[in-house]
Amino acid sequence: MTPERLGLLWGVTVFAGAGARLLAAVSGLPGVVLLLLSGMLIGRSGLGLVEPLDLGPGLGTVVGLLVSLVLFDGGLNLRLPGDTIRATVKRIAVLRLLISLGAGLLAAHWLAGLSWSVAAVFSAIVLATGPTVVTPLVRQIRLAAPLGDVLEAEGLVLEPIGAVLALLLLELVLGNLHGWRELVLGLLERLGGGVLIGASVGWLLSELLQRLKPDQSSGLPLQLTLGMLFLMYGISEWLLPESALPASVAAGIVVGRRQTAHTADLDGLIQELAQLAITMLFPLLAADVSWAELSPLGWGGISCVLVLMLVVRPIAVGVATVGLPLNLPQKLFLGWLAPRGIVTASVASLFAIRLEQAGILGAGRLQGLVFLTILMTVGLQGLTAQPLARALGLIEDSGDETTSSGEASLQPGEVLPDPGQ
């Protein structure tokens, strides 16, 4: 690919993302929906101006670095006040992992026609909700705390697990792993190793930030943070592939918990950069969607996604929240909102390439079904999230003392506050 063509690719991608953001600000429509549509417009399904595969091996690196920035921002701003809220997130994550993984496997095989092995990879890829989608939606609709924190935390916990599990299932399909024992050990190794690396880097970064004087650190905290974050990504991927995702979340959580004189400014700058990363990534990855991959799925693919949205998600959330202090409106909203995001799209694109290179049948159908899941969940849930939250009385009142940052906390036995009451 010539430098001129490469420059045009990035120019068109960033301009399309910025245009989608502007249209969202003017129209009030969900930004993530418009970002997705902008990518389809400039990509293989539309004008054909952007072909992500032209980036070659660099596509995975660029996507990985930007995703690590987004996940670091999520960990940095993660707030889970109160033992009850933390217990809610843990139960939803664990039970959704078990229920959604098995149900997604069956739906992808029986309804979408994927082979059992490829269906297993699909189920792991779409396991997690995307914090890159959920966070902008929560902020745009002003969802009352702490329900927004629960939704964001669920994605941050399950996103790395789903990506690592999908990678290991892919290796199992390709014959690089032998048996479920190696898969389980590999999962624990990558998740545990990633968290350990991320926590160590986060501690070291926070120590360095504490030693910087406010009057001598113009721009340095951000530069230092990005330098260590990207170095951590490279080391993590070199030692344990896919471990950079849990490492990024863990590093963000550690830095966010250890307040320094630069924390407030750093939070704002990292959040702006994370939003820029989302603005670049969504159109870039959506440009890879092809109608030729979506159309053969037909009603089987649509039925598969609808089952995940209307049956599997509500059942998983319903089981996970039994006995927890959630009222019916809150359970209904949690059971509905589960859009998939950038990590899901990036993993699908890269895995489809590896399956095609290995001659595994169904690689194109896998990528098509994943992007169909993203399109339907982001489109339907993104457009209906605000009206549903308003109808259920879950929109934060401007005069509420409880803020979307999750400052409110719960004690055992209390119900998550409902501003509509």
Side-chain angles (χ1 to χ4, degrees), residues 62-320:
V62 170
V63 171
L65 288 171
L66 293 179
V67 167
S68 69
L69 175 61
V70 174
L71 294 180
F72 177 80
D73 173 61
L76 193 66
N77 293 283
L78 181 64
R79 301 290 183 267
L80 291 177
D83 294 337
T84 305
I85 301 176
R86 284 191 285 270
T88 300
V89 173
K90 290 178 183 177
R91 284 187 56 178
I92 290 177
V94 171
L95 291 176
R96 270 208 60 229
L97 174 65
L98 299 176
I99 296 173
S100 300
L101 195 61
L105 168 66
L106 298 177
H109 177 71
W110 288 339
L111 297 176
L114 299 184
S115 65
W116 284 112
S117 56
V118 177
V121 176
F122 165 80
S123 182
I125 291 176
V126 301
L127 173 66
T129 58
T132 55
V133 184
V134 172
T135 300
L137 281 175
V138 167
R139 291 171 181 170
Q140 184 173 3
I141 67 178
R142 296 184 296 109
L143 188 64
L147 194 57
D149 294 315
V150 173
L151 283 164
E152 292 182 50
E154 177 196 354
L156 284 171
V157 170
L158 286 178
E159 192 99 80
I161 295 175
V164 173
L165 182 58
L167 172 69
L168 295 174
L169 287 170
L170 176 69
E171 297 294 337
L172 193 64
V173 171
L174 297 178
N176 298 328
L177 288 180
H178 307 286
W180 294 100
R181 183 174 180 273
E182 288 190 16
L183 187 146
V184 173
L185 291 176
L187 180 65
L188 295 176
E189 180 184 39
R190 282 167 170 79
L191 291 177
V195 170
L196 181 61
I197 293 172
S200 301
V201 171
W203 179 84
L204 177 59
L205 175 59
S206 62
E207 286 292 313
L208 293 175
L209 291 175
Q210 287 179 348
R211 285 163 172 73
L212 291 178
K213 297 180 180 179
D215 58 344
Q216 299 177 340
S217 57
S218 177
L220 186 55
L222 177 62
Q223 298 168 32
L224 184 62
T225 299
L226 292 178
M228 294 191 66
L229 177 63
F230 290 162
L231 178 61
M232 180 192 70
Y233 172 85
I235 293 175
S236 300
E237 290 298 296
W238 175 53
L239 295 175
L240 297 168
E242 295 298 328
S243 66
L245 298 183
S248 300
V249 176
I253 291 175
V254 171
V255 174
R257 294 298 178 274
R258 305 190 73 197
Q259 298 291 316
T260 69
H262 309 284
T263 300
D265 292 337
L266 187 62
D267 282 357
L269 292 171
I270 292 295
Q271 186 174 340
E272 288 292 330
L273 288 176
Q275 290 300 312
L276 176 60
I278 293 172
T279 300
M280 297 168 61
L281 282 173
F282 251 113
L284 178 66
L285 296 175
D288 196 39
V289 177
S290 169
W291 294 118
E293 294 172 343
L294 295 177
S295 56
L297 296 170
W299 288 108
I302 294 174
S303 300
C304 174
V305 180
L306 288 176
V307 166
L308 295 179
M309 294 173 60
L310 303 177
V311 179
V312 177
R313 169 74 180 184
I315 289 177
V317 170
V319 172

